[in-house]
Amino acid sequence: IGMTSARTRERLIARLQEAGIQNPRILDLIRMTPRHFFIDEALAHQAYDDTALPIGHGQTISQPWVVARLTELRIEKGVPGKVLEVGKGCGYQTAILAALGAEVYSVERIRPLHDQARKRLTELGYAKVQLKHADGGFGWSAQAPFQGILAACGRPDIPDDLLKQLADGGRLVMPVGERQQQ
């Protein structure tokens, strides 16, 4: 009950607003998307805390603020359009992008995470997202160009392969730099 209660979700939304997230559409999507469904049941009581949580294989589900901020940056100029997501992990960010109306192409390099995300997204009705098991640093050239590329995983530099797959006027959002200086 606690993980799905309206009060628990509203506390998260209030924290996101205090941290500067203001887009009402994004706040509604964070409120309505069942984050607890994307993590291990043993951690479900923490699903609506504003924190990253482990999802296995040395990876985490991004902190809700990060998901909200990356999404906010991506849609600053309007409709999401065709978006490449690099590092789908458990599929939570994928679900948020798809619910915004984006045409989502999502790449994950860790096979078990890719398979779990596919299963979860299908069960939740996100059947139109395109998912691929591959190294996202190379993008998805067969589906390019993309109006947006969103990567939660940081790198020391921006991969040329990703830049080449952006449409004219497209936007790439990703953490860049060394781990302590992204």
Side-chain angles (χ1 to χ4, degrees):
I1 289 174
M3 69 183 151
T4 60
S5 78
R7 191 172 67 213
T8 300
R9 291 183 187 208
E10 289 306 320
R11 277 195 305 263
L12 172 60
I13 297 307
R15 283 192 295 272
L16 294 177
Q17 289 174 313
E18 289 167 9
I21 304 299
Q22 297 304 315
N23 185 303
R25 191 169 175 204
I26 293 170
L27 291 168
D28 282 344
L29 289 173
I30 297 287
R31 179 184 290 113
M32 301 307 296
T33 304
R35 189 170 186 249
H36 63 277
F37 194 70
F38 292 90
I39 60 174
D40 188 270
E41 194 174 329
L43 297 173
H45 66 284
Q46 295 178 298
Y48 300 98
D49 293 345
D50 190 22
T51 188
L53 296 168
I55 56 171
H57 308 279
Q59 304 299 306
T60 60
I61 182 174
S62 294
Q63 171 185 359
W65 181 86
V66 171
V67 171
R69 186 63 183 136
L70 287 174
T71 307
E72 202 171 51
L73 288 168
R74 174 55 208 109
I75 67 166
E76 229 170 29
K77 294 185 179 184
V79 179
K82 189 174 182 182
V83 177
L84 173 66
E85 177 191 25
V86 176
K88 112 175 102 294
C90 64
Y92 180 67
Q93 176 80 68
T94 314
I96 298 291
L97 290 169
L100 271 172
E103 183 181 342
V104 183
Y105 293 80
S106 188
V107 182
E108 174 56 54
R109 68 181 174 83
I110 301 172
R111 173 61 84 177
L113 291 179
H114 167 78
D115 293 342
Q116 288 172 351
R118 177 181 299 282
K119 181 177 185 267
R120 286 179 178 131
L121 291 164
T122 300
E123 288 173 359
L124 288 170
Y126 297 103
K128 293 185 178 182
V129 298
Q130 303 298 311
L131 308 175
K132 181 178 178 181
H133 172 246
D135 183 339
F138 298 110
W140 196 337
S141 60
Q143 298 299 330
F146 299 98
Q147 283 77 38
I149 299 177
L150 194 145
C153 50
R155 293 193 38 142
D157 57 0
I158 299 171
D160 285 337
D161 287 329
L162 294 183
L163 289 174
K164 290 175 186 172
Q165 293 176 38
L166 271 177
D168 287 342
R171 178 176 268 193
L172 184 142
V173 180
M174 72 181 291
V176 178
E178 298 306 320
R179 187 172 288 264
Q180 294 79 11
Q181 298 290 318
Q182 293 180 344

